[in-house]
Amino acid sequence: MDKAYEAKQHEDRIAEKWEKAKAFQAIRPQDSRSGESFVIPLPPPNVTGTLHLGHAAMLVVEDIMCRYHRMAGDATLWVPGTDHAAIATETVVLKHLGIKDRNKETTRDKFIGECWKWTKKAHDTITNQIRKMGASIDWTRERFTMDMGLSGAVNTIFHDLYEAGLIYRGGRMINWSVGAQSVLADDEVEYKEVNGKLYYYQYFFKDDPKNSLVVATTRPETLFGDTALAVNPKDKRYKSAVGKKVIIPFSNKEIPVIADPYVDLKFGTGCLKITPSHDPNDYEIGRKHKLEARPVIGFDGKMKKSPYVPKEYEGLTREECRKRLSDENDAKVKKYLLKIEPYVHSVGFCYRSHTAIEPMVSTQWFIDVNKAFVHPILKKKTTLKKLTVDAVKKGDVKIIPGRFNKTYFQWVDNLRDWCISRQIWWGHRIPVWYDKKENIHLPRKQNLIFARHGESESNAKMVITSRNDSPLTDLGKSQAAELAEKLKKEKKVKMIISSPLARAKSTGEIIAKKLGVKLVVWDELLEIDCGDITEKDMIPGRSVFERMLEKNTGEALEGMEKRAKTVWEKIEKLDPVDGDILFIGHGMFTSILFALRDGVHPEHYSSFRDDRWRMKNAETREMTHLIAPKGKDLRQDEDTLDTWFSSALWPFSTLGWPDAVNQDFRDFFPTSILETGHDILFFWVARMIMFSLFATGKSPFHTVYLHGLVCDEKGQKMSKSKGNGIDPLAMIDKFGTDALRMAMIVGTTPGNPINLGEKKVEGYRNFANKIWNIARYIFSMNIPAGAKLEPKTHTDKWLLSKTQHLIRSATEGLRKHHYGEVGSMLYKFAWSELADWGIEASKADSSENTALIFREALKSLLMLLHPYTPFVTEKIWESMGEKDLLTLTPWPKPDKKWESKEAEQDFESVKAIVMKIRSLRSEKKIEPSVKIEAVFSGKKLDVLRENENIVKFLASLSSVVYGKKPPRDGISDYVSGTEIFLVLEGVIDEEAEKMRIERELENLEKLIRNLDSRLSNESYVKNAPPRLVEETRRQLQESSEKVKRLKEEKKKYA
RNA sequence: GGACAAUUAGCUCAGUUGGCUAGAGCGCCCGCCUGACUCGCGGGAGGUCACUGGUUCGAAUCCAGUAUUGUCCACCA
């Protein structure tokens, strides 16, 4: 082992070792030691992003959770994936392509193609960076929000919500982002304080052109869209004006003056202009008074061509128009504009494009959160809002830290209908079609039954011959007949589609005949051409599939994927059938069809083949599939869905929903913990809870753990766009992943900001090195043959006992999610206890078992520390000669047998004495190399002295030798009931000594006063825990003793 | 305007249901190559736990209020 631990030399190799061992591939709960599952859905990073500290914080906490649970014996699954990040990606790709106006410069299909290209490239960057963090993720289950399975899930829940009457299309006031060219949800609008102006305009009366009403506005450009002026009905100033007509400045259109209690008498002039088309509040007032909405600003942010906008302003941007209408050199302006005041107000901005939001009236799709419906699974009347609130209220979902409950409730209570349509191209296109009369057509749910052919001759021989066709055996034929019988009874098969190969086709024919249904052959359904494989070709530990791929001389993986896609596309185009469609195919290729639908990346097909999708001869599996409506004049809605719509399905869509027979969904849903930053509690967490309860009737997870935001040195949110972040990869490069991980978790508490400086990371790099050197030293200790795990010396006993305590409290801490605390507990144990005292003591105080005991302590430490610093611990474990991976080693359990309070106290006493001597030596400036004589007396020490080792240990650590004769000259002190006398002939500075004693006395007297007042208080003695009172008495006695002796000592120098 | 947090050593922060003389890391001072570790070892200095009241035998911790900082939500032209 090298002298120093160099993270870079080991991390990649260790990661590879884990991957090769499939260490993080989830096992089934029934195969786990605890029988329980532990599941975390990874909050999917945006595909186009790169790793920042926010990701790092998330990955560290989640990895600690997962590694702990995996070692504790739970079937642990960490489901990874990425998010298509609709607006963000579209913006980036448009910029990359240099496109200003996508409608003119490209086509939808072409652009989406570019997005896919970009996405695929960016995907590798972010996922590799996640790997760098040491995240123990099950990559075989990786998903993407736009993959086939998740897109299917999106369409399904849209369909179901629509059927339940919870999705509607309607014209409403929405937030329009001119920059992103799309509508935004309320949450996607960020409000910022802006130094604006308040403009005062005169609206002259139609019948009394000399008089006017004065209105204050921040947005003069909207005045063309005014359809009324409003005053408060209680406002005496304007009583006579109500009902009269006024003229809009610049446009000469007349509008009425109305009265509405919404108007604030005290603000501005007390007179408000109403623009229902461009202000949410005005929109509401407009609806109330049945006022017309006159849009005057277009989706491009420019003044519209409209009968209400005078020609000279048409085509100006909002800002230009405002300038023109307030240009005080303009004669026209002078007529209307009275004054301009500076005014600070908040303006909504797009959270992606950072342009000012334009409120607009537009037709969009919404989710109705308040509408009562009968829940199809829960069979009770409820609303989406109620479901979302109750999950937390009833405790089905626990939020950590708890204070976020309040925030959550407040948000849900104020929740308005969620606008889910977006006018961008990259995303899930709204699964709705319109005919010429604007009637809405939804996809229909088609039940598909997939069956594998009956037993073939090659099946019977246990060989795989995909090249040569192999007919059905007699058994195969009867299997087919049986299946036909079963289908006739239970299903309504109206169409059979079969592979062209004989074994499948014959199976299909038998069934078709029985059911009297037409049989269609699809060439694409044939089996993989992989040559011939017999048992001889098999390699232990490899699945048939893997072996096939290795031996394969025919169709490549990509080919299979492409063919499977074609099959699904063909299914999409099937004409409506009033019943079920039966597919007869082959074991291998059918699983690929399923895998593709489940969104599994082809390279991982083999990992699942034997487990998740395997089919026996004549076995069937059903699923419903959404098929787009057919018709010449049908056209699909142009809009796409809000990114958060698909994110809201994440915990269950990634596990196979809506396919309820999916093994992963059955084994791993609901998930356990959702860990994320508290900034997306609303965006994401609440919506997941809402959708999960709607779709599955269950909460998606039982615990929400919110980490704090990672902030920069100014306390500002770190973000890519601000470019103010520390690059986690640079930290990893410099100090190692383990160091970064420790730095991001120790000293943090959930929900509170995580501050990170380079110095902190460096500190934990040093820690990794310390662990390394502790191991190096312990490895160098000789374990004699016949050594037993039986503590003999004080140090043996102390260490073994301490270790049990550590195991106990670390485990408890992890169970309570006290990750930061456990981290520092382990740090302190390793450095301050094991290294500084344990190892040092062992150098003098050892038995034939000491080395073994230290090795055991190290092992426990490595196990406990592994979730925090996986790399260095795994590396040391390996160097220790352990065969199994540390990451798969069972979590340690404390053994009561080794716990000894006495041993710990004895050791602590010696520690105190040693520290006192060191302190005295340092004060007296005695060179560390000089051994001085020390004389000890006291009860405690007499006990310890019975063991000769302890004497050696004490002497060694404080660098003294035992003096036996009464000393002539020296200093003395008292600690742990022991008098220490250091022989210092000829070097005593009496004055200094006197001062030292006086200082000591002062401290002691302060303490005694404190203790005394406590004990003389009757209620303290009565109310405080007895243990505490006893301890106080003991301390008081000891301190008084000390004082007595120090006073005597002082007399010497008086 | 409302909600939530934070305020502890020069800096960055811990401190679990109130209970030993309030802790850590970094920095600072003094001294050391003591059988693994200078990414190290030993010894120190440094704090009226933001402020004001209250509850309690006892408060950094609980309650009320004040101040400063930060975050979120709502938003009046």
Side-chain angles (χ1 to χ4, degrees), chain A residues 447-452 479-497 507-517 579-584 618-622:
Chain A
N447 197 39
L448 307 179
I449 304 171
F450 289 87
R452 191 183 165 199
Q479 282 171 335
E482 248 173 70
L483 176 58
E485 201 59 54
K486 196 179 137 209
L487 289 169
K488 191 173 182 184
K489 247 192 263 165
E490 296 168 10
K491 302 291 164 189
K492 263 176 71 184
V493 175
K494 284 290 154 66
M495 186 179 192
I496 299 177
I497 301 171
T507 308
E509 275 160 357
I510 291 169
I511 300 169
K513 199 172 164 196
K514 178 86 188 177
L515 300 178
V517 178
D580 306 327
I581 301 174
L582 174 69
F583 290 85
I584 313 287
E619 199 176 31
T620 60
R621 199 178 125 169
E622 276 184 71

Side-chain angles (χ1 to χ4, degrees), chain A residues 553-588:
Chain A
T553 51
E555 191 176 15
L557 206 50
E558 294 72 35
M560 289 179 238
E561 195 197 2
K562 213 169 156 192
R563 186 149 61 86
K565 266 187 191 153
T566 314
V567 171
W568 282 111
E569 276 162 18
K570 274 182 97 166
I571 292 174
E572 283 289 323
K573 286 183 191 133
L574 282 172
D575 287 330
V577 173
D578 178 28
D580 306 327
I581 301 174
L582 174 69
F583 290 85
I584 313 287
H586 305 268
M588 214 64 79

Side-chain angles (χ1 to χ4, degrees), chain A residues 93 264 339 431 439 443 479 553-555 628 670 745 754 780 798 882 1025:
Chain A
V93 175
D264 185 347
K339 59 172 172 177
N439 292 315
Q479 282 171 335
T553 51
E555 191 176 15
I745 192 68
I754 302 165
S780 75
W798 168 83
E882 294 286 339

Side-chain angles (χ1 to χ4, degrees), chain A residues 638-769:
Chain A
E638 291 292 325
D639 290 353
T640 49
L641 289 163
D642 182 3
T643 304
W644 298 103
F645 190 95
S646 56
S647 314
L649 313 178
W650 191 250
F652 48 102
S653 63
T654 52
L655 293 174
W657 185 90
D659 183 6
V661 298
N662 192 297
Q663 196 59 42
D664 274 3
F665 186 73
R666 284 190 289 184
D667 282 347
F668 298 119
F669 187 82
T671 68
S672 311
I673 300 182
L674 191 280
E675 195 282 339
T676 189
H678 70 243
D679 51 329
I680 51 173
L681 181 63
F682 309 136
F683 274 122
W684 192 40
V685 180
R687 281 168 185 165
M688 279 191 282
I689 293 172
M690 182 194 285
F691 271 14
S692 176
L693 281 161
F694 174 78
T696 72
K698 289 175 185 163
S699 300
F701 26 74
H702 58 66
T703 301
V704 173
Y705 181 100
L706 301 169
H707 64 250
L709 295 185
V710 186
C711 293
D712 71 359
E713 58 284 347
K714 290 173 204 156
Q716 282 209 316
K717 233 160 115 174
M718 276 192 186
S719 72
K720 213 171 41 206
S721 52
K722 280 183 201 159
N724 62 345
I726 294 179
D727 179 9
L729 295 160
M731 291 295 106
I732 289 174
D733 191 53
K734 205 163 171 190
F735 301 116
T737 304
D738 290 333
L740 178 65
R741 290 170 60 113
M742 275 300 265
M744 298 219 68
I745 192 68
V746 176
T748 70
T749 39
N752 282 0
I754 302 165
N755 273 12
L756 194 78
E758 198 169 314
K759 276 278 173 200
K760 192 173 180 188
V761 188
E762 189 185 355
Y764 289 105
R765 186 270 318 261
N766 297 351
F767 175 63
N769 186 56

Side-chain angles (χ1 to χ4, degrees), chain A residues 164-166 368-375 381-384:
Chain A
L166 301 176
D368 193 332
V369 294
N370 291 310
K371 188 172 177 181
F373 69 103
V374 177
H375 194 289
K381 208 171 174 185
T382 183
T383 67
L384 289 176

Side-chain angles (χ1 to χ4, degrees), chain A residues 230 330 338 565 956 991:
Chain A
D330 190 323
L338 276 183
K565 266 187 191 153
S956 143
E991 205 47 40

